[in-house]
Amino acid sequence: MEIIKLLLALLIQASFLAVECLNIPADSILDHLLPSYDYIVVGGGVSGLVVANRLTENPNVTVLVFEAGELDSSPEAVTVPGLIGHGGFVPPYNWNLTTTPQEFLDNRSRDYGQGHVVGGGSILNGLVMTRGAKAEYDAWETLGNPGWSWRGLLPYFKKSENFSAVVSPEYQNTLHIHPHMSVHGTDGPVGVGYPSFFYNQSTKFLRGIHELGVPVLSDPNAGVAAGATIVPSSILAWNQSRADGRRSYLDPVLDRPNLHLATQQTVTRILFVNETSTGQSPFEALRRAYAVEFVTLGDLHRWQVPCGKEVILAAGSVLSPALLQVSGVGPASVLEDLQVPVVLEIPGVGQNFQDHGMVQAFYNYTEPGLFSANNLTGDTLLNVQEQYLANHTGPWTQPLISTVAFISLFNLSRLLDHAPNPSVIGSNFDHKAALRLGPDAHPTIVEGYAHQLRALLSLVLNPAVAVLEIMADSIGTLSVVMQHPLSRGTVRALSSDLLSGGSVAPNIHLDPRYCSHDLDCEFLRYGLKLNDRIIKTKHMKELKPAPAYPWNDACNDTLLTETIKARIQTEFHPVGTTAMMPLAHGGVVSPRLVVYGTANLRVVDAGIIPILPAAHIQSAVFAIAEKAADLIKEDYDTFQPPTPAPNSIPLGPGDPHTPSGSPEPQG
Ligand SMILES: Cc1cc2nc3c(=O)[nH]c(=O)nc-3n(C[C@H](O)[C@H](O)[C@H](O)COP(=O)(O)OP(=O)(O)OC[C@H]3O[C@@H](n4cnc5c(N)ncnc54)[C@H](O)[C@@H]3O)c2cc1C
Ligand SMILES: *[C@@H]1O[C@H](CO)[C@@H](O)[C@H](O)[C@H]1NC(C)=O
Ligand SMILES: *[C@@H]1O[C@H](CO)[C@@H](O)[C@H](O)[C@H]1NC(C)=O
Ligand SMILES: *[C@@H]1O[C@H](CO)[C@@H](O)[C@H](O)[C@H]1NC(C)=O
Ligand SMILES: *[C@@H]1O[C@H](CO)[C@@H](O)[C@H](O)[C@H]1NC(C)=O
Ligand SMILES: *[C@@H]1O[C@H](CO)[C@@H](O)[C@H](O)[C@H]1NC(C)=O
Ligand SMILES: *[C@@H]1O[C@H](CO)[C@@H](O)[C@H](O)[C@H]1NC(C)=O
Ligand SMILES: *[C@@H]1O[C@H](CO)[C@@H](O)[C@H](O)[C@H]1NC(C)=O
Ligand SMILES: *[C@@H]1O[C@H](CO)[C@@H](O)[C@H](O)[C@H]1NC(C)=O
Ligand SMILES: *[C@@H]1O[C@H](CO)[C@@H](O)[C@H](O)[C@H]1NC(C)=O
Ligand SMILES: *[C@@H]1O[C@H](CO)[C@@H](O)[C@H](O)[C@H]1NC(C)=O
Ligand SMILES: *[C@@H]1O[C@H](CO)[C@@H](O)[C@H](O)[C@H]1NC(C)=O
Ligand SMILES: *[C@@H]1O[C@H](CO)[C@@H](O)[C@H](O)[C@H]1NC(C)=O
């Protein structure tokens, strides 16, 4: 009888959620939630939706996804490749974060866009689908993570994608697009394919790079990732529109009664209780996450919802560590500043932040009659729009970036005068580098960094791995991006209340510490010098590049460095803040993605990446989350019910004023 009632409740609520009210009304959310869920997923972005989809394949499992943002309304600025990134962010879907002033650059802070919407970063991103080299994932395994090599992840890269090799024969040849189907999947949820239109500038760029002796890759995702290439895009090949986390993993399973999505609800804390059995843990007792606390957008009241099996953190590299810290899991000094009771001291939470710093450099093409994205105005725009809507063809199918060069150190050292000599570069990777972590770095972080440096050195010396990316658009921008940064930043919660006073902007200190190791900025300088060689190749000269100051002077190193430091911005690839590495090396999660010292709290988002690959990272995040779902399923039957029954905790208001003082159930 009880079971039937529960199922009935599930069905009624779910159909309500799915069909007409997926967006649970903020003022009646408590009427729609179950008393408890098996799994609570925090964050409905890329990783969260993958895991929620896979776990609810089992109809007996209940999953609740909390997402701070809303469902996007499919504006063209989200769905149409040709419009993405041109008008800045689509307003409501961004957290509007900023960094702290960047002291190793110019003391200015930077905007730091992150998705605040169902689908997370995949609603805002530039559609680039790259994996990086085989060796980069093998390095993850070397850092203490069995199963996380290229071989271990390839099945999940394939599982997540529906790859279409369709591209017109004309482009196949001129752009050297010949995907290796053995490394691609064709049954997965995320559409991946090629635009049906390319600007002629793509051909010129690939040919120019080739003139310099850099190889052109027919498929950048097959294990060797140094060379110039057309990158595939996360689009549905058939209608040339965005393929994102929401449209790939959520929309197709909205009819599942066991999957609940609560939008515009921000999780503010994870609540723990001690587990009686200790197990193989360096901690005296394992902590069990028994509930999460959340707040409705714009509201003050905090509510709790219990979970029976696991809490799964998928709030992204910036907000997952902040959430752990306010919940009492983090570095001792941070927890002390926040005045939250220590649940677990884990020095790596919010440390080890890595990002790809990028500089957009302008070489304005002035060839008479050239057709570029700048020409999409007036009547041309109307025609282009009509063509896209009618036939899914034309310039609107072309994303901002499809044409890139990934440059190895091996190639770079042969392409520039006063080139970076690999053995000199190597001297940057020694123990002295740890000084750049800052005076307060915990010994385990320093130890982990030393292990990373060893792995990084072998990566940068590998001719299949890139140290620089150059992204070419159609109008003359050649953005240079560092690929294997040595700098490490931090994320820190600034208040025990992540959203104080009904604010939507989280109270955090986000410090990428760009170029705290100067080698990172040095690589960008080499990138600008390489750009200067690229625009002077025979094929690129045909575009008549006409760079203005400061881009027209690639000889003045002082000027180059000043320019770089003034202009570095994020490429939106933060990782490492909840790194998958041994605890003694500053890690936060085990190779099963369980937070050390906890029985049932996992992190599945980009923050677990221990070393940033030389790639745009969404395809890695999709693959990681697919693998995470399998790990969670494997443990489904082995997890024992919690010692103190969590359903003894009533769903009800938390105390908004003393977020640290919530009573733990006695057991
Ligand atoms: C502007 C931009 C451009 C990018 N371009 C590319 C690209 O071209 N190619 C590429 O490969 N990658 C790109 N990326 C990166 C890629 O999108 C991310 O790596 C990916 O989205 C990370 O997935 P995630 O699950 O870790 O986090 P996200 O996708 O960011 O998801 C986290 C989710 O959690 C929610 N959340 C956070 N805190 C809470 C809370 N407390 N309570 C409830 N919900 C919460 C957020 O609102 C968000 O929806 C880009 C990212 C951005 C922002
Ligand atoms: C769901 O539960 C029922 C009843 O307990 C059981 O028979 C069935 O095998 C379960 N299904 C799955 C997929 O675990
Ligand atoms: C970010 O700024 C935009 C534009 O001002 C706004 O619409 C949006 O609500 C803001 N996001 C958050 C999370 O406050
Ligand atoms: C940044 O600020 C610090 C401390 O105030 C100062 O020492 C440094 O010179 C400044 N750097 C720049 C580039 O202005
Ligand atoms: C994969 O995409 C193709 C179109 O490129 C489509 O026909 C097919 O149905 C898709 N497969 C899946 C499993 O979605
Ligand atoms: C492309 O097709 C998908 C369904 O397969 C649909 O959701 C989406 O809106 C379409 N995009 C455009 C731009 O028509
Ligand atoms: C949980 O265990 C730790 C020691 O392992 C102890 O310090 C803490 O007080 C315990 N918490 C509760 C609520 O029992
Ligand atoms: C060159 O291109 C940049 C970026 O598109 C633009 O801002 C600038 O005005 C252009 N300069 C000239 C001289 O056209
Ligand atoms: C595109 O715009 C530029 C500058 O406005 C112009 O010189 C060029 O002729 C245009 N190209 C086409 C094909 O109309
Ligand atoms: C590309 O170049 C060819 C030959 O010069 C020209 O016919 C064609 O119109 C160009 N295409 C675009 C999109 O500019
Ligand atoms: C769509 O394609 C058809 C067939 O190629 C063509 O006749 C038609 O003009 C195209 N429509 C638009 C708006 O470009
Ligand atoms: C670049 O590296 C590739 C190997 O990846 C090599 O074949 C090629 O000759 C190198 N080119 C230059 C200019 O160093
Ligand atoms: C190089 O650039 C710096 C900074 O802009 C400037 O002060 C210096 O005069 C330049 N040197 C030469 C030789 O142009």
Side-chain angles (χ1 to χ4, degrees):
M1 187 58 198
E2 278 313 300
I3 290 173
I4 292 172
K5 247 164 58 187
L6 176 67
L7 286 178
L8 211 63
L10 272 173
L11 276 169
I12 291 164
Q13 286 167 4
S15 57
F16 180 55
L17 294 177
V19 177
E20 45 185 359
C21 203
L22 184 69
N23 216 339
I24 302 179
D27 55 358
S28 61
I29 177 160
L30 300 185
D31 301 339
H32 297 288
L33 292 178
L34 296 180
S36 169
Y37 289 83
D38 293 324
Y39 297 95
I40 297 179
V41 176
V42 181
V46 169
S47 55
L49 294 179
V50 173
V51 169
N53 172 311
R54 294 304 182 190
L55 293 180
T56 53
E57 284 171 350
N58 179 344
N60 295 351
V61 164
T62 56
V63 173
L64 171 64
V65 179
F66 276 115
E67 168 53 47
E70 57 189 295
L71 285 160
D72 74 276
S73 56
S74 294
E76 282 182 340
V78 165
T79 59
V80 178
L83 293 174
I84 296 162
H86 287 288
F89 290 117
V90 193
Y93 309 141
N94 183 4
W95 279 95
N96 307 322
L97 304 177
T98 51
T99 71
T100 58
Q102 291 302 286
E103 58 178 309
F104 304 97
L105 302 178
D106 55 1
N107 285 338
R108 279 191 313 108
S109 57
R110 267 76 182 159
D111 289 344
Y112 208 93
Q114 291 286 288
H116 178 264
V117 57
V118 176
S122 67
I123 302 297
L124 305 179
N125 74 24
L127 311 177
V128 177
M129 279 301 261
T130 58
R131 298 172 180 173
K134 170 181 183 296
E136 324 222 31
Y137 299 93
D138 293 347
W140 294 6
E141 183 165 64
T142 308
L143 287 171
N145 301 305
W148 291 89
S149 62
W150 170 265
R151 224 183 110 117
L153 274 168
L154 185 57
Y156 295 105
F157 279 118
K158 293 165 88 166
K159 186 177 185 183
S160 63
E161 73 179 354
N162 179 4
F163 190 94
S164 164
V166 173
V167 56
S168 85
E170 162 206 357
Y171 293 135
Q172 249 172 45
N173 298 327
T174 55
L175 299 171
H176 207 58
I177 300 173
H178 303 288
H180 307 185
M181 287 312 286
S182 65
V183 297
H184 292 292
T186 51
D187 298 324
V190 186
V192 183
Y194 295 95
S196 72
F197 170 91
F198 285 90
Y199 293 100
N200 282 346
Q201 293 81 311
S202 290
T203 320
K204 302 260 164 85
F205 180 80
L206 295 186
R207 289 187 177 156
I209 296 269
H210 188 64
E211 256 178 71
L212 296 176
V214 173
V216 176
L217 301 174
S218 49
D219 184 338
N221 293 333
V224 171
T229 190
I230 298 297
V231 292
S233 302
S234 44
I235 53 171
L236 296 169
W238 76 271
N239 73 357
Q240 300 272 306
S241 77
R242 181 189 289 274
D244 53 75
R246 171 198 165 181
R247 287 166 185 77
S248 309
Y249 282 92
L250 177 68
D251 289 353
V253 299
L254 284 178
D255 58 348
R256 286 186 189 163
N258 53 339
L259 172 58
H260 287 188
L261 171 70
T263 58
Q264 302 188 61
Q265 310 294 333
T266 305
V267 171
T268 47
R269 257 192 328 157
I270 299 157
L271 304 168
F272 296 92
V273 65
N274 282 349
E275 179 107 318
T276 46
S277 69
T278 52
Q280 300 289 81
S281 160
F283 300 92
E284 285 173 46
L286 290 175
R287 307 298 187 278
R288 171 175 290 276
Y290 70 84
V292 306
E293 179 194 80
F294 67 96
V295 62
T296 302
L297 186 79
D299 203 356
L300 283 172
H301 230 72
R302 305 298 152 99
W303 306 92
Q304 296 177 7
V305 58
C307 94
K309 287 188 177 289
E310 298 194 30
V311 171
I312 295 160
L313 254 184
S317 300
V318 178
L319 291 168
S320 284
L323 205 46
L324 284 170
Q325 292 167 357
V326 297
S327 306
V329 179
S333 59
V334 172
L335 303 183
E336 199 175 304
D337 287 351
L338 294 175
Q339 295 184 294
V340 296
V342 178
V343 173
L344 286 165
E345 192 200 325
I346 301 184
V349 175
Q351 299 291 309
N352 198 37
F353 180 103
Q354 301 161 56
D355 189 16
H356 286 146
M358 166 176 88
V359 170
Q360 292 183 296
F362 305 117
Y363 303 90
N364 312 35
Y365 304 147
T366 61
E367 182 193 357
L370 184 71
F371 184 67
S372 78
N374 272 354
N375 293 85
L376 306 186
T377 56
D379 285 348
T380 310
L381 180 62
L382 293 180
N383 291 336
V384 163
Q385 178 180 27
E386 204 184 334
Q387 193 186 353
Y388 180 84
L389 296 177
N391 291 339
H392 317 297
T393 55
W396 263 17
T397 68
Q398 175 63 220
L400 188 55
I401 297 300
S402 67
T403 313
V404 306
F406 289 107
I407 308 290
S408 66
L409 179 59
F410 178 77
N411 278 180
L412 192 62
S413 65
R414 281 163 182 75
L415 290 171
L416 299 178
D417 300 332
H418 314 295
N421 177 327
S423 67
V424 173
I425 293 285
S427 69
N428 283 280
F429 290 71
D430 66 12
H431 62 281
K432 289 196 301 293
L435 298 173
R436 320 295 177 99
L437 291 176
D440 303 329
H442 190 275
T444 60
I445 304 292
V446 175
E447 178 68 19
Y449 186 56
H451 286 269
Q452 291 183 13
L453 288 175
R454 265 197 292 284
L456 280 166
L457 180 58
S458 85
L459 289 178
V460 304
L461 296 178
N462 184 334
V465 175
V467 292
L468 264 176
E469 181 189 18
I470 298 174
M471 300 193 285
D473 70 8
S474 63
I475 64 176
T477 313
L478 299 177
S479 298
V480 294
V481 195
M482 58 178 80
Q483 291 300 286
H484 281 299
L486 299 194
S487 302
R488 294 292 179 269
T490 60
V491 178
R492 207 149 42 76
L494 287 178
S495 149
S496 62
D497 192 354
L498 212 49
L499 303 179
S500 45
S503 137
V504 277
N507 253 318
I508 59 164
H509 169 108
L510 163 60
D511 186 1
R513 301 177 80 247
Y514 290 119
C515 296
S516 50
H517 196 298
D518 358 311
L519 188 63
D520 298 342
C521 268
E522 241 174 83
F523 270 123
L524 293 181
R525 190 157 52 78
Y526 294 132
L528 294 179
K529 286 172 179 287
L530 184 56
N531 276 353
D532 195 57
R533 285 215 59 191
I534 293 169
I535 60 166
K536 288 172 178 157
T537 58
K538 175 175 149 285
H539 286 97
M540 289 295 281
K541 274 204 276 200
E542 292 168 6
L543 297 170
K544 303 209 174 354
Y549 179 87
W551 313 110
N552 56 357
D553 183 354
C555 300
N556 184 336
D557 281 1
T558 313
L559 175 63
L560 289 176
T561 302
E562 261 176 22
T563 303
I564 287 162
K565 293 198 166 190
R567 297 192 183 233
I568 284 187
Q569 61 188 88
T570 180
E571 201 192 23
F572 309 103
H573 298 165
V575 306
T577 48
T578 52
M580 176 175 65
M581 286 195 299
L583 184 62
H585 297 174
V588 175
V589 301
S590 72
R592 298 194 73 77
L593 304 183
V594 178
V595 174
Y596 290 117
T598 73
N600 66 336
L601 174 62
R602 282 190 229 237
V603 186
V604 299
D605 59 38
I608 69 108
I609 293 177
I611 290 187
L612 189 51
H616 299 245
I617 57 174
Q618 66 167 335
S619 69
V621 179
F622 279 117
I624 288 166
E626 284 281 12
K627 185 171 164 73
D630 271 3
L631 295 172
I632 295 165
K633 286 180 182 178
E634 278 170 27
D635 290 341
Y636 174 74
D637 295 319
T638 56
F639 263 128
Q640 297 305 310
T643 327
N647 59 11
S648 66
I649 299 147
L651 172 65
D655 183 341
H657 301 300
T658 54
S660 56
S662 171
E664 285 189 332
Q666 302 306 306

